Amino acid sequence: MLSRRGSGTSAAAPTLDEARLVDPEPRPLSARRIAASTPGKLTLVGVGLIALVLAAGALTSVAIVAREQRINTLHLVTGPLTNSTQELYSSLSIADAAATAGFLSGRVEPAAIRNRYNQAIGEASTALVSTTSGVTASDTEAAELSRNLSVYSAIVATARANSRVGNPIGVSYLNESSALMHDAMLPTAEHLYTKHAEAQANTQRHLAQPPWVALALCVVALIALIVAQRYLARLSRRRINPGLIVATALMALLAVWLSVAGLFSVNASAHDMAAAETTDALVRARILAQQARADETLGLLRRDTDTQSEQDYTRHIADLERILGEQRTTPAPTDASGRAVGDAVAALDGWQKAHRDLRDRLGAGDYVGAVAVAVDGGPDGAPAQFMRLDDALRGDIGSLREEASGYTSRSWTSLRLLDVGGATLGVLCGFAIGAGLWPRLSEYR
């Protein structure tokens, strides 16, 4: 019931709820709202940039370490193994050619031919040891080749002993040793050489490729730093951020360093690969020449005008002409290499002329005259022209090996300190980015 005005009773006065005076608990911000705020954006930019420059530095270091490991493998393992198998393959062919040539000189071969044979056998034994040192994959082939080398040397010794006493069966023993060489030993040596040469070429192909991934990441990090500076300039209305400028300069230094060092390394590796390819061609050319010389002398020993030896000689000479022709039309790695190939071609022409003379004399029944052309014949004879050819190829192979080793050393030198420098510059970039963004973040506290 309402009270009347002027009566002694009044309405109850409103009361204050003190609980309403307490500030309500703040609601936590969501991750999306934090990220959308200016401090959140700056934090994300900073974390992203730091992660990017650290990744660029780390990837550069990893790429350079991997490249250095390949260069070490090429210099200490693959290259020496390829050279050893080259020496093995060549030495076996030289020994076979010298053994057959010695029989044309009479009962006792000249000291020069005997020394050439002994030296070739010794070099083959040394190369065989070097080829199989620490390489388990070729142990079976090497063991077989080592046994066959001992058997071959014994058969040649028996053939020589029979030849000294005038026993014609010595030629049969020589045929047996030559068959062992051509049917078993040379194919095995060729397989070993081809396997190691392919491994060397594979390593060189990897080294001839620039470190594209590391370089691309450095460029991406550099672009990201430039974009971040423009964004920060619009956000804070400050055109210059010293920390980000330092980080940009450091990343630009890393990108330039990697580009220049990679360019020099790739250029040296490309020259190394070209020298190795030319060396491989000349090694095969020299082996073909040795085999053709063995075919030539063995055909005379058999005293036939149309033998398998003559057919093999023709095939080997054709392959030799093809290789030398390709080398003449291909730019030589060095001027000396080009001159050596030219000398080899001229010597091959002289040798073929002497061989035609030999075959004409043999066809006319002048066996003694044919032997004279094959064994002596003066400066225009078969042995002189063959030695001229072999000396040209051997000298060029040696110079190309030295050149390839020099290119490998240059490739290594160009990458020096870049593995450590890449990681260091990446870390310094990260600190510079943090130093550049921290003052801006502290303004929002």
Side-chain angles (χ1 to χ4, degrees):
M1 184 175 61
L2 296 177
S3 61
R4 295 179 180 178
R5 182 177 304 203
S7 63
T9 61
S10 63
T15 59
L16 179 64
D17 188 359
E18 295 182 358
R20 296 179 179 271
L21 296 177
V22 180
D23 293 335
E25 291 291 335
R27 289 168 33 180
L29 296 175
S30 63
R32 180 177 298 178
R33 293 181 62 187
I34 293 176
S37 65
T38 300
K41 291 178 180 179
L42 290 177
T43 301
L44 291 178
V45 169
V47 171
L49 289 176
I50 291 174
L52 190 58
V53 297
L54 289 178
L59 186 58
T60 298
S61 180
V62 170
I64 297 304
V65 168
R67 195 175 189 87
E68 289 176 338
Q69 289 177 346
R70 287 195 177 99
I71 295 175
N72 274 332
T73 300
L74 180 64
H75 183 66
L76 300 176
V77 181
T78 312
L81 282 176
T82 303
N83 292 338
S84 295
T85 51
Q86 286 177 359
E87 292 292 342
L88 174 63
Y89 197 3
S90 299
S91 298
L92 291 176
S93 298
I94 293 171
D96 186 49
T100 54
F103 271 73
L104 291 177
S105 304
R107 292 185 177 182
V108 180
E109 69 275 16
I113 295 179
R114 183 171 61 251
N115 292 337
R116 184 175 176 82
Y117 169 81
N118 292 334
Q119 181 181 0
I121 291 295
E123 290 176 351
S125 300
T126 302
L128 185 58
V129 173
S130 301
T131 299
T132 59
S133 178
V135 182
T136 58
S138 59
D139 285 348
T140 302
E141 292 177 327
E144 178 186 356
L145 192 55
S146 180
R147 289 192 299 268
N148 287 336
L149 182 59
S150 300
V151 173
Y152 174 84
S153 301
I155 297 175
V156 171
T158 303
R160 282 177 171 176
N162 281 276
S163 178
R164 290 190 183 100
V165 298
N167 192 344
I169 199 174
V171 177
S172 298
Y173 280 107
L174 184 65
N175 288 335
E176 182 181 353
S177 66
S178 182
L180 176 63
M181 176 66 73
H182 288 271
D183 295 341
M185 298 175 67
L186 287 179
T188 302
E190 182 181 13
H191 181 261
L192 286 173
Y193 168 67
T194 301
K195 178 171 60 178
H196 292 303
E198 288 178 352
Q200 180 183 11
N202 185 54
T203 303
Q204 289 171 331
R205 280 192 295 270
H206 280 91
L207 291 174
Q209 296 295 324
W212 291 118
V213 177
L215 184 59
L217 190 57
C218 289
V219 173
V220 169
L222 186 60
I223 294 174
L225 284 168
I226 295 174
V227 172
Q229 289 182 72
R230 298 190 62 177
Y231 169 75
L232 192 61
R234 290 197 305 268
L235 188 66
S236 62
R237 301 186 182 279
R238 293 181 177 90
R239 295 183 178 181
I240 297 177
N241 188 292
L244 292 184
I245 289 178
V246 171
T248 303
L250 291 175
M251 186 53 57
L253 174 62
L254 177 58
V256 172
W257 188 2
L258 180 59
S259 299
V260 174
L263 178 63
F264 276 103
S265 178
V266 167
N267 183 63
S269 298
H271 281 85
D272 184 13
M273 184 166 62
E277 291 174 352
T278 304
T279 302
D280 176 72
L282 295 182
V283 166
R284 296 186 183 277
R286 190 184 181 204
I287 292 169
L288 287 169
Q290 298 289 348
Q291 293 175 350
R293 177 60 177 166
D295 296 330
E296 181 180 59
T297 54
L298 191 60
L300 276 176
L301 287 173
R302 292 170 177 171
R303 303 194 180 200
D304 292 329
T305 57
D306 185 16
T307 64
Q308 182 64 41
S309 296
E310 179 62 20
Q311 296 175 12
D312 292 340
Y313 169 86
T314 302
R315 175 170 52 84
H316 290 146
I317 289 295
D319 292 340
L320 176 57
E321 286 181 321
R322 176 182 55 79
I323 293 176
L324 293 180
E326 291 174 352
Q327 293 305 308
R328 293 199 72 177
T329 57
T330 302
T334 61
D335 293 338
S337 178
R339 289 193 299 270
V341 172
D343 291 342
V345 171
L348 178 59
D349 292 339
W351 182 16
Q352 288 182 282
K353 182 179 179 180
H355 183 77
R356 287 192 295 269
D357 184 23
L358 180 154
R359 296 304 300 178
D360 291 341
R361 290 173 182 268
L362 191 62
D366 185 8
Y367 180 76
V368 176
V371 171
V373 173
V375 175
D376 186 11
D380 296 329
Q385 295 297 325
F386 164 73
M387 289 303 298
R388 179 186 170 192
L389 169 64
D390 186 67
D391 289 343
L393 294 175
R394 181 182 58 194
D396 200 11
I397 290 170
S399 63
L400 284 171
R401 285 176 178 172
E402 293 180 0
E403 184 180 359
S405 179
Y407 282 124
T408 303
S409 299
R410 293 179 197 176
S411 180
W412 169 269
T413 303
S414 64
L415 302 176
R416 189 177 181 183
L417 301 179
L418 184 53
D419 51 349
V420 177
T424 302
L425 289 176
V427 172
L428 291 177
C429 280
F431 280 114
I433 291 170
L437 292 180
W438 179 252
R440 305 286 78 79
L441 286 171
S442 61
E443 294 175 353
Y444 292 92
R445 286 185 174 182

